[in-house]
Amino acid sequence: MNTSTLIFRQLFEATSCTYTYIIGCTATRKAVIIDVLETVERDAKLIKQLYLELELGVNTHVHADHITGTAALAKDMYVHIRKM
């Protein structure tokens, strides 16, 4: 992948000192979000502003805030959650 086709955003949540990442493709407009928190409005707004279609939410570790955040974002953006 050419770096000019990559969209990358690192989002910081100060209360929990936690990062969320959005990685997208400028060609396909498809995106993945990593380690979602309960910042669904912020994340959904940015995904829409970037004209991205969320394909997958990934949690790198199991914390309640990530699980509930991912589920809420999936519901808000009409994304199916797949268990692996």
Side-chain angles (χ1 to χ4, degrees):
M1 175 187 270
N2 180 325
T3 57
S4 65
T5 64
L6 177 71
I7 297 168
F8 175 80
R9 296 293 186 277
Q10 180 183 46
L11 309 168
F12 182 67
E13 199 286 308
T15 303
S16 63
C17 292
T18 307
Y19 289 96
T20 296
Y21 304 91
I22 297 172
I23 302 170
C25 175
T26 58
T28 65
R29 308 312 300 176
K30 296 192 184 293
V32 61
I33 190 164
I34 302 167
D35 290 339
V36 181
L37 296 167
E38 294 170 346
T39 51
V40 173
E41 287 183 35
R42 174 199 71 180
D43 300 341
K45 181 179 178 182
L46 181 56
I47 290 166
K48 290 172 186 173
Q49 286 176 340
L50 294 170
Y51 300 102
L52 294 172
E53 179 185 347
L54 187 61
E55 287 285 309
L56 186 63
V58 176
N59 293 319
T60 61
H61 55 285
V62 181
H63 282 172
D65 57 348
H66 293 307
I67 294 168
T68 56
T70 301
L73 186 64
K75 183 178 179 184
D76 183 65
M77 301 203 71
Y78 308 106
V79 174
H80 179 68
I81 297 175
R82 295 174 290 217
K83 294 184 179 180
M84 303 176 120

